[in-house]
Amino acid sequence: MRASTREAWLKSALVLPPLAWTLVFMFVPYAIMFTYSFYTRKYPTFVPDFQFGNYIALFQDVQYRQVFLRTLKIASLVSLFALLLSYPVAYCLVFKIRSLRLRMALYMAVIVPLWVSYLLRAYTWKTILGSQGVLNSFLVWAGILAQPTDLLLYNQFSMVITLVHIFIPFMFMPIFTSLEKIPRSLIEASKDLGVGRGWTFLKITLPLSLPGVMAGFTFTFCLSFGDFVAPFLVGGPDGFMIANIVQSQFGTALNWPLGSAISIAILAIVLTVISISDRFERSGRLDLG
Amino acid sequence: MNAISLTHLTKSFPTAGRVVDDLTLRVRQGEFITLLGPSGCGKTTTLRLIAGFEFPDSGSVSVAGTDVTDVPPYRRPVNTVFQDYALFPHMNVEQNVGYGMWVARLPKREISERVAAALQMVGLSEKAAARPSELSGGQKQRVALARAIVRRPKVLLLDEPLSALDAKLREAMQVELRHLHRKLGITFLLVTHDQSEAMVMSDRILIMEAGKVVQDGSPLDLYDSPASPYVADFLGTSNLIPGNVHATELDSIRVKAVDALFRVRTRGRSLPTSANVTLAIRPEKTEVIAPESSPVGTPAQLTGRIIEHFFHGGMLRTAIDIGLPLPFLVDTQIKSAAMQGQQLPPGSPCRLRVDEDSIVAFAGSHRP
């Protein structure tokens, strides 16, 4: 075998398996789902068809629209709170902590929860916020509440808390990286030019860390938009999200065509968010070297 | 009034130890002064203490007669040209230069006038709208310079500003910086490890070693009368050879070194008979001559064997084995085409004629 053919063969041997994997387990299912979204439901089965009834139902039915908007709201709130919590922490780690070892230790402290099972983290909040939970027991013990409240769990509040906790590393990591990439000399140059701390942050540090904020926001938003476990565990009837609807369409409701149509809609939203943020990031990508 | 006045300045870092050690320094208004030394000698930390990026453990810093020891960098009348230029990547050239004045809310017209003037001064007016990423290294350097002078600081601090440029550009910038210094009348403080850069530009050089100033003087003073073998070897090149005082005279001594006897000026140093000394001999103050061209046994001449020639363009450097661990270096100016190729071939024996007036003797034996 000639060296060049051998090399080409090796290259394709490297590329083909993952390519085949994504093709068989991602694109093919998506294609099937896409086809299903045009089917008609004939209880208890579905018949092949090409009609837009499922999509029309999606927009006309108030219930679906409500859940869509709620999901948007919760995903936005989760991203917002994750941002407000992550940014100051990342900023402190990068700029205030001089010891590299301490910085890495604290960084790991934020990241380590990722290694704990997702389900476990969601359950933890159930035990913290429940009416017999840690928080209630404490509030009653401290005399702040006369009796346990059930206001803490099974609502949008508990969902946002849980999802923020679960997805915060995805916000924190890109922000930390983007802050760490900013050369210290830029901050010093700003101060050297007579600019105080506040304006230096607003004019130099913040704009240069925006790519990280964008990336973190995209991750957190997309992940919480499609989440269905947290609503299931801590959401209650008020906290149902769009992914739960999908789940029920494929499950108890036995309406695969509608479930497929909703899934395609979710996919479209998430892809839009990703491409917008990608464009932002590209245009804002700067030469920090 | 001194432009910069450092008094008993000391700064330590946890890992590096005492980087600046009891440094006292006065810089006159309008002077071009250079802190010169190898990396780790404390020169950059000294600059950062003046800029306000570091605060001293003890001692004081004052700029233009005002004590600024505890003043943050943004309230000091100094500006810095950073080694990596530190241009803001998300702003164009004009915004970079006008940044400080813009945040200080100066009138728009004044800002644009001063930015235009500063850019013109560094010859970069046509690049006002360019992003830093679109500029060459030399152009970035000029923007950094314009940004630092636009606020009319009392002192301009330059932290190895030319180290990232190629040799040709570096030489051109050295000349430009000197002209700019003359035109602005601002005090310049340059930090560099490049001795030729320091000599070309400065009015005064301070050579630093381990956080202390080991010699302070004009480039010529330092070159001709180095205070220590360290300075002699750091500023330019010196052949350091061990010797022994053979006899003392009124203001000179006779030193026996290797196989030669030199008459060396003492320059006020006390070097008694039979003391061990180190002689610093400049390569360009020495001449290679053929062994037969001079009667054998004349003092002030070393004998050796040519190892190698290094062609430097206008100058030829010859390494000669005189029986010491390190070769003796001799620089010869190539003044005419006829001189080219007239050198003794490697391996041939030779004699070295040294200009005795230029030899500097230091007490003790020095290990390079």
Side-chain angles (χ1 to χ4, degrees):
Chain A
M1 205 187 289
R2 283 219 329 268
S4 59
T5 30
R6 197 186 145 103
E7 199 174 305
W9 193 84
L10 264 171
K11 262 186 204 159
S12 49
L14 271 175
V15 174
L16 275 177
L19 200 68
W21 181 275
T22 31
L23 199 71
V24 172
F25 294 108
M26 203 173 122
F27 286 103
V28 170
Y30 271 129
I32 294 171
M33 196 173 72
F34 191 64
T35 340
Y36 260 87
S37 70
F38 300 106
Y39 280 19
T40 309
R41 179 192 185 210
K42 281 252 168 65
Y43 193 82
T45 56
F46 343 101
V47 287
D49 199 349
F50 187 74
Q51 48 89 21
F52 294 89
N54 298 313
Y55 289 98
I56 292 165
L58 197 58
F59 286 101
Q60 278 179 342
D61 196 319
V62 184
Q63 191 202 336
Y64 297 136
R65 198 171 17 182
Q66 219 173 15
V67 177
F68 248 113
L69 289 177
R70 180 193 299 153
T71 310
L72 271 176
K73 178 179 131 193
I74 284 176
S76 308
L77 283 176
V78 168
S79 313
L80 185 70
F81 285 122
L83 172 65
L84 292 179
L85 287 169
S86 304
Y87 201 102
V89 176
Y91 184 89
C92 279
L93 285 198
V94 173
F95 290 107
K96 301 292 170 201
I97 292 182
R98 287 203 165 186
S99 150
L100 200 66
R101 281 175 70 180
L102 182 61
R103 188 189 302 167
M104 280 339 276
L106 290 171
Y107 178 84
M108 285 318 284
V110 179
I111 301 307
V112 154
L114 270 185
W115 301 348
V116 177
S117 153
Y118 171 99
L119 218 54
L120 201 65
R121 280 180 285 159
Y123 258 114
T124 311
W125 282 101
K126 207 172 158 129
T127 56
I128 292 173
L129 299 172
S131 56
Q132 302 299 315
V134 181
L135 192 56
N136 261 315
S137 313
F138 172 76
L139 290 173
V140 172
W141 174 81
I144 296 165
L145 292 177
Q147 52 194 28
T149 172
D150 52 4
L151 285 177
L152 296 174
L153 195 58
Y154 302 124
N155 51 29
Q156 296 185 7
F157 164 80
S158 56
M159 287 240 313
V160 172
I161 284 198
T162 307
L163 287 175
V164 165
H165 174 235
I166 289 173
F167 293 131
I168 210 165
F170 294 99
M171 181 66 90
F172 174 79
M173 284 190 284
I175 292 178
F176 180 89
T177 310
S178 70
L179 285 173
E180 212 180 26
K181 267 200 311 201
I182 299 174
R184 296 306 160 90
S185 61
L186 293 185
I187 315 280
E188 285 177 354
S190 173
K191 291 185 178 169
D192 189 69
L193 293 164
V195 179
R197 282 171 229 277
W199 281 107
T200 295
F201 174 76
L202 287 176
K203 291 290 164 199
I204 307 296
T205 317
L206 186 62
L208 292 178
S209 65
L210 276 187
V213 171
M214 277 312 277
F217 208 91
T218 310
F219 280 138
T220 318
F221 184 88
C222 294
L223 286 170
S224 34
F225 194 87
D227 192 75
F228 69 95
V229 177
F232 187 70
L233 289 176
V234 299
D238 181 36
F240 245 54
M241 300 233 291
I242 198 66
N244 301 100
I245 304 276
V246 175
Q247 192 193 12
S248 70
Q249 295 307 321
F250 281 95
T252 47
L254 212 63
N255 192 349
W256 291 21
L258 184 60
S260 302
I262 299 173
S263 304
I264 294 295
I266 295 174
L267 189 67
I269 289 173
V270 167
L271 284 179
T272 311
V273 170
I274 290 175
S275 64
I276 289 173
S277 93
D278 184 58
R279 189 160 306 169
F280 259 102
E281 215 205 306
R282 261 175 226 281
S283 69
R285 193 171 294 162
L286 297 161
D287 178 20
L288 290 178
Chain B
M1 187 179 65
N2 290 307
I4 307 171
S5 162
L6 308 179
T7 313
H8 299 299
L9 207 59
T10 298
K11 176 72 182 174
S12 304
F13 290 112
T15 46
R18 188 169 289 193
V19 176
V20 176
D21 190 1
D22 195 29
L23 186 78
T24 295
L25 165 66
R26 306 269 177 268
V27 181
R28 283 184 301 280
Q29 168 61 37
E31 220 176 348
F32 194 137
I33 195 162
T34 297
L35 302 182
L36 176 67
S39 55
C41 73
K43 57 191 194 300
T44 297
T45 306
T46 307
L47 177 137
R48 293 173 60 81
L49 286 164
I50 300 170
F53 304 138
E54 307 285 353
F55 293 93
D57 301 334
S58 63
S60 69
V61 179
S62 67
V63 175
T66 314
D67 189 300
V68 294
T69 311
D70 299 314
V71 172
Y74 44 88
R75 291 208 202 97
R76 294 192 185 199
V78 301
N79 279 123
T80 310
V81 177
F82 291 83
Q83 185 173 8
D84 64 353
Y85 317 130
L87 300 181
F88 305 126
H90 55 307
M91 301 180 192
N92 66 24
V93 168
E94 209 172 359
Q95 290 164 332
N96 260 284
V97 177
Y99 170 72
M101 298 186 292
W102 180 66
V103 173
R105 293 176 196 279
L106 260 58
K108 274 213 171 91
R109 212 166 122 207
E110 190 188 341
I111 297 177
S112 58
E113 277 170 14
R114 281 170 67 173
V115 168
L119 285 179
Q120 197 180 2
M121 195 162 278
V122 298
L124 216 61
S125 300
E126 76 281 9
K127 289 281 180 193
R131 287 264 174 153
S133 55
E134 296 159 2
L135 301 177
S136 70
Q139 290 170 331
K140 284 182 191 166
Q141 178 63 71
R142 284 158 204 272
V143 177
L145 206 56
R147 190 177 67 175
I149 60 174
V150 78
R151 294 180 68 230
R152 301 168 192 150
K154 297 268 192 281
V155 174
L156 186 70
L157 303 172
L158 302 120
D159 183 9
E160 308 244 6
L162 308 179
S163 59
L165 304 178
D166 61 71
K168 204 81 178 181
L169 199 55
R170 190 157 46 208
E171 271 177 39
M173 281 304 290
Q174 286 170 4
V175 175
E176 269 191 54
L177 273 176
R178 239 177 78 139
H179 290 170
L180 196 66
H181 172 248
R182 248 177 250 159
K183 216 185 311 181
L184 293 170
I186 297 175
T187 309
F188 278 35
L189 186 139
L190 171 78
V191 158
T192 185
H193 63 269
D194 183 333
Q195 44 96 10
S196 74
E197 190 172 296
M199 285 198 278
V200 168
M201 291 197 281
S202 336
D203 298 326
R204 183 147 73 103
I205 298 176
L206 282 89
I207 297 194
M208 289 186 71
E209 186 189 11
K212 287 180 183 296
V213 172
V214 292
Q215 197 174 0
D216 172 356
S218 74
L220 193 66
D221 285 348
L222 264 57
Y223 192 80
D224 280 347
S225 350
S228 66
Y230 175 80
V231 175
D233 201 33
F234 197 78
L235 214 61
T237 307
S238 283
N239 294 293
L240 298 175
I241 63 174
N244 190 275
V245 179
H246 193 66
T248 54
E249 285 160 25
L250 190 59
D251 58 352
S252 64
I253 46 173
R254 284 184 176 273
V255 177
K256 190 158 168 38
V258 199
D259 59 349
L261 195 61
F262 296 106
R263 180 198 291 269
V264 183
R265 290 189 292 135
T266 53
R267 299 167 197 250
R269 289 191 179 92
S270 143
L271 300 163
T273 311
S274 82
N276 282 328
V277 291
T278 300
L279 300 183
I281 303 174
R282 294 286 183 194
E284 75 278 9
K285 302 278 166 60
T286 312
E287 206 183 335
V288 181
I289 47 180
E292 64 275 9
S293 67
S294 167
V296 177
T298 314
Q301 288 189 357
L302 293 157
T303 54
R305 194 173 286 277
I306 289 176
I307 306 170
E308 218 176 336
H309 294 291
F310 301 98
F311 182 56
H312 283 249
M315 179 264 273
L316 188 81
R317 173 163 287 183
T318 308
I320 296 140
D321 178 14
I322 58 165
L324 293 174
L326 285 176
F328 191 99
L329 301 177
V330 176
D331 289 350
T332 312
Q333 289 296 317
I334 304 174
K335 290 236 179 72
S336 64
M339 277 178 76
Q340 203 87 46
Q342 293 299 303
Q343 286 74 34
L344 296 168
S348 50
C350 65
R351 308 185 67 78
L352 303 173
R353 187 156 58 203
V354 181
D355 169 34
E356 288 182 294
D357 259 1
S358 70
I359 301 176
V360 184
F362 304 105
S365 33
H366 171 77
R367 299 239 163 269

